Amino acid sequence: MPPKRKANFSSPSASKSKRDSRVSTPVSSAQKTTSDKSKDRDETAKGPGELSRLAANNAQRFDLTDFPYTLPPGITDIASAYFQPAQKRDFTDLALKANHQNLPLWIDGSGKITLENFHEKARRVQEFLIAVAEPTSRPRFMHEYKLTIHSLYAAVSAGLTTKDIVTTLERFSKNGLPPNIAEFITECGKSYGKVKLVLRNTKYFLETTDGALLQQLLKDPEISLCRVEGAEATRTSAPTIAGLAIPGTKEAAGMREAEGLNHGVVRRRRSGHSGMAEDIYALLNEDDDDADEHDITHAIEIKDDKVSAVAARCLALHYPALEEYDFRHDNVNPDLEIDLKPATQIRQYQEQCLSKMFGNGRAKSGIIVLPCGAGKTLVGITAACTIKKGIVVLATGSMSAIQWRDEFIKWTNIKPSSISIFSSDQKSTFAGTTGVIVTTYSMVTNTRNRARDAASMMEFLGSREWGLVILDEVHVVPAQTFRRVVGSIKGHSKLGLTATLLREDRKVDDLNCLIGPKLYEANWMELSQQGHIARVQCAEVWCPMPADFYDQYLTTSPRNRPLFCAMNPRKFQACQYLIKYHENRGDKIIVFSDNVYALEIYAKKLMKPFLYGGTSISERQEILDYFRNSPACSTLFLSKIGDTSLDLPEATVLIQVSAQYGSRRQEAQRLGRVLRAKRRHEDGFNAFFYSLVSKDTVEMVYSAKRQVFLVDQGYAFRVITRLKNIENTPGLAFATPEAEHDLLQKVLAESESSAWKKEEEKEAAGLLADGNMFYGRGGRAARKRGFRGHWSRPGL
Ligand SMILES: Nc1ncnc2c1ncn2[C@@H]1O[C@H](COP(=O)(O)OP(=O)(O)OP(=O)(O)O)[C@@H](O)[C@H]1O
């Protein structure tokens, strides 16, 4: 029997580790990572602000001695398990280079790279690491990256050679590059970047500079079936790479003069980011330029409807086919008159994303990952202004589609008649030969019961070629939906935008095949330090459940438990307390509840407006405008429809009452609602993110899981076990035993009724089928139980 141990932790972070282990589930590697970083978290958490004071005041009350937990045999503490031989984490015999102290990297045999972020050379290698590896964790002092097939694929597609990757990693590693990793990189390089899928003069080509490889691929039974019958392999000189101007950069005109140099390199040099990373890039790309000029391209034509199949097959054969669009030589599709307005300046990280996309003068298809509120829309718009051909934008819902159209008009000189929306409410097309169409995933993929005007719009979308298809919030799109999008819209290039390339169902890898590799991923903490996104204080507030609630919670079915957790009267009071506290400070607050029943009860009781899947578009717009503009409305309740794409820069505080299990993505998306806070430039300004958790319930396990991604981005979660002076707060709801009893009866009745489950399912159906959209399948989600009056506030 494993020994049972009791612990007496005195700090919030230690208690959190204990809490993680107290639940009898095995500790996942993600959780281990979290606990390993708790020290780092604490460091980041220290700082001024009300939240820290609250936490400090309550720290001494923090004691969980009553809760024994078990550890594996022979392990005396949680940290030791992390260094067990089975984990291959015992580095006692690791051979180090003589000058290891001058080098910032550790590389292990599993492809994990650890960067000492406090090292004087750290900044020099960071950009290189982002290009070749996937950042997995970037808190303050130690960053972790992972070399993967996909990251190497992205690196090669960005123009790096495996030889250079191996040399550079070897050069900066304290322990040298393990031979198996060098071999892995070299093996990947033998096949990656060799094959390209190019759309030229409205035809798709499978293209390579290796003639023998093309012959080999053509012998594959699947690929040979995708080939256009009768088309012969062609042999042409590869185009010379020329400098490319991305609009919105300070020296766009100057860049045009660049001779034969990769755009990204030119920008990096001119934007004054001197240092070794830039030297590395310059060195690597100059080599590439020489090679490209002398290459011969062999190509074979592919059937239009077989492009995805060829891409998937090439990937299966370990020859991922990069999709590139030579838009500057596209004389077939009409040019779109669109440029960024002269006053528009894109930011340095936006420029970096774009240089990854347009690095070799063609448009590479792929995914750009930027935190919420960091300006993905402008990145998409600038890509559109660079390509200057017909553009389709796929948004997650009608409101987001309207926001996209407004942003195009705000940032560019596009004629309003050249941009149109195709949604359930609007179905017009643009004037002239080409333009921008903003639509939603559901409009494109919902083939059932299409009205005549919608069907003719779809025909229009499918009948022509588009220069660029922008896929907003791309992580939420199921592969099947995405295949349908690709099947109906013929785009030369695809740009996926997201803040969180995360899915709990591990389907993220699908996106690599369907869109392209991750081209860029920004560092959240860096953007927050630079003031592009807000600084956020995060806290988990533990809300004990009254005994009679807890008894019912323990005996109810697992399905009903989230309802009890959300309706915990102590949680309600904590929410009320925090709203009052922050309203008094002049904050604007969003309260999230996935549970629609709880959402309505909370909002009505507190006399606040609320929005959920069943609220009509016009009412949503009205409520959002009221929240944005009226000093009389400081708090808004939202169901999960508000998780993404809502531009509410006024919001400075977020309170989470109920959430979707252990979803890391939802947690990050929700945090994103306050990252764009308008007031972020004020001195010492902090936004706040509170997650209210019913103590000793399943919510605590989920909460720990939900935080993993944000902790990896460097966020610190404080645990607040008791809100200061809450018992003396006047007007708290459910303050008497009778009121509490009445509430419990209501919750019991609700748990027995199936109506709320149907509501939840309906809301989820809209989200899952269409990817976090505001509508259910086929249009508006009708609400049958007749919640009316989302305007529970007085005076309206
Ligand atoms: N280069 C820029 N200059 C000035 N403002 C900018 C720039 N880039 C973005 N912004 C502003 O930042 C805010 C957030 O941008 P945007 O809505 O595109 O973020 P996002 O990354 O799409 O967020 P989300 O993931 O939440 O949808 C907007 O108000 C936008 O106008």
Side-chain angles (χ1 to χ4, degrees):
M1 278 289 288
K4 283 205 161 187
R5 296 181 55 81
K6 284 197 166 204
N8 186 359
F9 292 97
S10 56
S11 80
S13 64
S15 302
K16 193 163 180 322
S17 305
K18 179 182 174 183
R19 189 194 68 207
D20 290 346
S21 62
R22 195 187 63 219
V23 293
S24 56
T25 48
V27 183
S28 71
S29 60
Q31 282 168 310
K32 279 172 198 156
T33 312
T34 311
S35 54
D36 194 43
K37 286 172 203 134
S38 57
K39 229 175 133 191
D40 218 12
R41 258 190 292 171
D42 271 0
E43 287 298 324
T44 331
K46 275 177 205 155
E50 199 53 38
L51 186 66
S52 313
R53 277 197 292 280
L54 279 175
N57 287 342
N58 289 298
Q60 71 270 23
R61 299 173 201 252
F62 200 81
D63 187 358
L64 285 178
T65 39
D66 294 336
F67 291 91
Y69 65 96
T70 53
L71 288 170
I75 302 295
T76 51
D77 58 74
I78 294 160
S80 304
Y82 196 46
F83 294 95
Q84 282 307 290
Q87 301 284 332
K88 298 193 175 131
R89 297 186 64 84
D90 180 353
F91 299 119
T92 321
D93 300 326
L94 191 72
L96 293 174
K97 291 181 188 166
N99 63 339
H100 68 90
Q101 280 172 339
N102 296 329
L103 301 168
L105 296 184
W106 302 85
I107 305 176
D108 77 6
S110 71
K112 181 169 142 184
I113 303 172
T114 307
L115 167 71
E116 289 181 348
N117 198 40
F118 50 85
H119 199 284
E120 58 181 359
K121 288 183 183 153
R123 292 207 60 80
R124 295 183 179 184
V125 281
Q126 251 178 26
E127 200 183 332
F128 171 75
L129 287 180
I130 291 167
V132 302
E134 299 208 6
T136 52
S137 174
R138 288 185 283 189
R140 193 158 148 200
F141 296 118
M142 300 295 268
H143 288 188
E144 288 173 3
Y145 294 81
K146 178 106 186 140
L147 282 170
T148 67
I149 290 179
H150 291 299
S151 72
L152 288 168
Y153 164 35
V156 172
S157 77
L160 297 180
T161 68
T162 51
K163 184 169 149 256
D164 297 316
I165 297 171
V166 168
T167 315
T168 311
L169 288 174
E170 172 63 44
R171 186 167 150 204
F172 286 97
S173 160
K174 287 171 184 289
N175 58 313
L177 188 63
N180 66 319
I181 298 300
E183 197 185 322
F184 170 65
I185 298 169
T186 311
E187 280 306 306
C188 287
K190 284 186 185 154
S191 54
Y192 284 13
K194 289 261 153 74
V195 183
K196 289 177 181 171
L197 264 171
V198 182
L199 188 57
R200 211 179 305 121
N201 296 332
T202 71
K203 290 173 184 148
Y204 284 105
F205 292 90
L206 189 63
E207 196 180 275
T208 171
T209 51
D210 182 341
L213 174 60
L214 188 68
Q215 291 309 319
Q216 190 189 324
L217 290 174
L218 284 174
K219 282 183 195 145
D220 179 79
E222 281 185 42
I223 294 179
S224 66
L225 287 177
C226 301
R227 174 182 179 174
V228 172
E229 276 159 39
E232 292 304 315
T234 56
R235 198 168 172 276
T236 51
S237 294
T240 307
I241 293 171
L244 168 71
I246 294 175
T249 54
K250 286 191 199 87
E251 297 159 37
M255 284 162 43
R256 286 190 188 99
E257 292 148 24
E259 284 173 8
L261 277 176
N262 175 312
H263 163 77
V265 176
V266 177
R267 289 302 308 146
R268 271 183 288 275
R269 283 176 178 168
R270 295 197 175 179
S271 56
H273 296 273
S274 60
M276 205 174 293
E278 285 69 42
D279 300 345
I280 292 165
Y281 271 109
L283 189 82
L284 307 184
N285 282 294
E286 274 158 16
D287 284 355
D288 288 350
D289 293 343
D290 285 349
D292 274 351
E293 293 216 335
H294 301 106
D295 280 342
I296 297 291
T297 303
H298 306 265
I300 186 75
E301 193 182 340
I302 299 294
K303 291 177 192 164
D304 290 353
D305 57 344
K306 296 290 182 197
V307 175
S308 296
V310 170
R313 186 62 190 153
C314 287
L315 195 70
L317 295 170
H318 290 265
Y319 285 99
L322 310 179
E323 273 187 71
E324 294 190 341
Y325 174 31
D326 192 3
F327 54 94
R328 287 180 299 170
H329 297 105
D330 177 358
N331 302 319
V332 175
N333 294 294
D335 289 341
L336 173 66
E337 256 183 62
I338 184 170
D339 256 313
L340 289 182
K341 285 182 180 160
T344 309
Q345 284 289 319
I346 60 169
R347 298 171 182 154
Q348 188 231 332
Y349 60 88
Q350 293 172 322
E351 192 181 315
Q352 274 181 339
C353 312
L354 289 158
S355 60
K356 295 274 158 72
M357 180 174 179
F358 295 104
N360 62 357
R362 292 175 173 189
K364 282 192 213 82
S365 291
I367 301 171
I368 286 175
V369 187
L370 286 179
C372 306
K376 288 183 280 296
T377 317
L378 189 53
V379 169
I381 290 172
T382 311
C385 292
T386 309
I387 292 179
K388 293 182 192 294
K389 300 284 176 185
I391 311 288
V392 178
V393 180
L394 285 140
T396 50
S398 296
M399 286 180 56
S400 158
I402 295 168
Q403 278 178 18
W404 266 96
R405 206 230 6 222
D406 293 350
E407 293 281 302
F408 259 99
I409 291 173
K410 176 177 161 189
W411 297 112
T412 73
N413 63 358
I414 191 167
K415 290 188 214 119
S417 60
S418 296
I419 178 163
S420 70
I421 293 185
F422 171 37
S423 70
S424 50
D425 306 324
Q426 302 177 45
K427 294 177 187 69
S428 58
T429 181
F430 46 75
T433 52
T434 191
V436 179
I437 299 235
V438 187
T439 183
T440 66
Y441 291 103
S442 60
M443 288 309 291
V444 173
T445 53
N446 171 32
T447 45
R448 278 177 296 162
N449 307 326
R450 233 183 219 142
R452 187 132 45 98
D453 49 356
S456 67
M457 265 305 280
M458 267 320 293
E459 215 177 290
F460 173 73
L461 274 177
S463 65
R464 51 166 55 216
E465 281 182 3
W466 300 92
L468 173 67
V469 181
I470 299 175
L471 299 124
D472 195 18
E473 308 290 358
V474 74
H475 58 278
V476 296
V477 189
Q480 208 42 42
T481 306
F482 189 77
R483 278 195 190 97
R484 264 187 270 158
V485 170
V486 174
S488 8
I489 301 172
K490 215 195 244 180
H492 287 257
S493 54
K494 295 178 283 245
L495 172 61
L497 298 171
T498 178
T500 47
L501 203 50
L502 282 175
R503 286 182 74 108
E504 304 310 329
D505 57 10
R506 296 177 178 272
K507 285 195 175 147
V508 160
D509 285 354
D510 286 352
L511 294 176
N512 279 291
C513 315
L514 292 165
I515 300 176
K518 178 161 67 181
L519 299 170
Y520 184 82
E521 179 165 2
N523 181 333
W524 293 47
M525 281 299 125
E526 224 171 77
L527 298 197
S528 143
Q529 277 151 17
Q530 291 162 5
H532 297 305
I533 55 176
R535 247 184 280 261
V536 187
Q537 295 266 6
C538 303
E540 184 179 294
V541 182
W542 289 9
C543 311
M545 255 194 203
D548 44 355
F549 256 83
Y550 198 57
D551 283 349
Q552 295 297 336
Y553 165 83
L554 290 176
T555 50
T556 195
S557 74
R559 226 190 124 98
N560 278 330
R561 286 186 176 163
L563 176 68
F564 282 83
C565 292
M567 294 304 299
N568 171 5
R570 298 289 167 270
K571 186 186 269 194
F572 189 100
Q573 290 171 344
C575 180
Q576 191 178 1
Y577 171 99
L578 289 169
I579 290 175
K580 193 167 169 214
Y581 176 81
H582 280 286
E583 280 189 349
N584 287 341
R585 280 172 38 119
D587 284 314
K588 287 260 187 185
I589 304 149
I590 298 177
V591 184
F592 271 107
S593 170
D594 275 27
N595 187 301
V596 180
Y597 175 78
L599 180 83
E600 187 196 11
I601 298 274
Y602 272 68
K604 286 192 168 169
K605 184 104 185 148
L606 297 172
M607 309 272 282
K608 309 288 180 195
F610 67 101
L611 293 181
Y612 72 106
T615 317
S616 72
I617 282 274
S618 56
E619 202 175 356
R620 274 175 205 187
Q621 204 59 61
E622 204 186 332
I623 294 175
L624 289 174
D625 285 348
Y626 183 58
F627 177 73
R628 284 185 189 122
N629 306 319
S630 169
C633 177
S634 299
T635 304
L636 173 66
F637 278 74
L638 286 175
S639 75
K640 61 183 138 193
I641 62 161
D643 283 358
T644 55
S645 308
L646 270 195
D647 192 13
L648 289 172
E650 296 70 22
T652 48
V653 176
L654 196 143
I655 303 171
Q656 184 166 247
V657 167
S658 96
Q660 190 189 343
Y661 307 104
S663 169
R664 297 164 297 163
R665 182 176 92 203
Q666 190 187 50
E667 192 89 344
Q669 292 285 356
R670 288 192 169 168
L671 179 95
R673 299 308 98 205
V674 287
L675 285 182
R676 48 177 67 211
K678 255 188 193 165
R679 290 169 43 198
R680 64 179 176 272
H681 299 298
E682 288 173 19
D683 254 2
F685 172 78
N686 268 310
F688 292 85
F689 177 27
Y690 298 97
S691 201
L692 307 190
V693 174
S694 284
K695 201 173 161 218
D696 305 323
T697 69
V698 66
E699 273 193 346
M700 298 188 76
V701 184
Y702 288 137
S703 181
K705 285 189 179 164
R706 291 171 66 81
Q707 289 164 12
V708 167
F709 175 76
L710 290 176
V711 169
D712 280 338
Q713 302 306 319
Y715 286 93
F717 277 82
R718 283 275 171 177
V719 173
I720 298 178
T721 55
R722 209 150 179 287
L723 291 163
K724 189 179 173 186
N725 227 3
I726 186 166
E727 61 283 357
N728 298 325
T729 309
L732 278 192
F734 311 115
T736 63
E738 296 75 38
E740 217 175 271
H741 178 75
D742 284 354
L743 179 67
L744 179 58
Q745 295 314 309
K746 275 190 196 154
V747 175
L748 282 170
E750 187 59 21
S751 68
E752 276 156 27
S753 119
S754 58
W756 71 267
K757 284 170 211 154
K758 283 190 191 140
E759 286 299 332
E760 298 290 305
E761 276 157 14
K762 204 181 292 166
E763 184 122 333
L767 297 171
L768 294 177
D770 303 330
N772 267 8
M773 274 167 272
F774 288 122
Y775 296 101
R777 255 176 267 248
R780 217 159 287 209
R783 185 170 168 91
K784 292 206 179 86
R785 275 178 73 241
F787 290 166
R788 288 282 169 258
H790 308 126
W791 297 91
S792 2
R793 70 191 191 289
L796 218 120

